[in-house]
Amino acid sequence: MTIRTVLRMGDERLLQRAAPVGEFDTPELHGLLADMRDTMQSLNGAGLAAPQIGVARRVVIFGVQHNSRYPDAESVPETVLINPLVTPLDGGIEEGWEGCLSVPGLRGLVPRHALIRYQGRDEYGAPIDRTVSGFHARVVQHECDHLDGILYPMRIQDMTKFGYTEELFPGREMQDE
Ligand code: NI
């Protein structure tokens, strides 16, 4: 278990397409996930993709616990998602504010599919198949974008809605993905 350095925007490794995981329930995969969890927790993140710690594999983790300080924040179950497939469903596009551990201190307004189905496997190879909306759908799309070398600023349409968290949301603590 190790807290790893999170790569920041500008590092070419964040722009690569990650390779699928071929074997599940291996010491290598469990070790990667332990490092990802430690790293995400140390930074109070809502999600993390393996490429963000320099591992070019199609592995993401995410999860948001209900927090009494932010009763309106939607909770998202703690999830390990490997080799994901995201399918947009007919729910339209929704804009929402995002942050990213690889783009520290900034937020941007990003359009995402409001309703998606996502499939993949957990670390033991068990299938995952969920249909989700809202913030849960947003987090999944953000994390899976990392596997294709896409960072959220590349999806912002109105660049006037991109800036420093402290200026955009004075006094508010926010989690990054
Ligand atoms: Ni991110």
Side-chain angles (χ1 to χ4, degrees), residues 140-160:
V140 171
Q141 289 169 86
H142 177 115
E143 295 313 328
C144 292
D145 262 358
H146 279 295
L147 306 180
D148 294 327
I150 298 168
L151 300 169
Y152 83 81
M154 297 156 71
R155 293 204 181 273
I156 296 173
Q157 290 180 338
D158 178 355
M159 289 302 286
T160 71

Side-chain angles (χ1 to χ4, degrees), residues 10-33:
D11 190 303
E12 286 189 0
R13 288 171 286 179
L14 290 170
L15 302 176
Q16 293 171 358
R17 186 177 162 83
V21 170
E23 276 191 281
F24 296 88
D25 199 15
T26 62
E28 182 192 18
L29 183 57
H30 290 304
L32 169 63
L33 286 162

Side-chain angles (χ1 to χ4, degrees), residues 47 52 99-102 142-143 146 151-152 176-177:
Q52 291 181 275
C100 180
L101 295 173
S102 295
H142 177 115
E143 295 313 328
H146 279 295
L151 300 169
Y152 83 81
D176 289 329
E177 297 104 42

Side-chain angles (χ1 to χ4, degrees), residues 87-92 113-117 130-132:
T87 309
L89 301 177
D90 192 13
H113 298 285
L115 182 67
I116 62 166
R117 177 184 184 188
R130 295 176 181 157
T131 296
V132 302

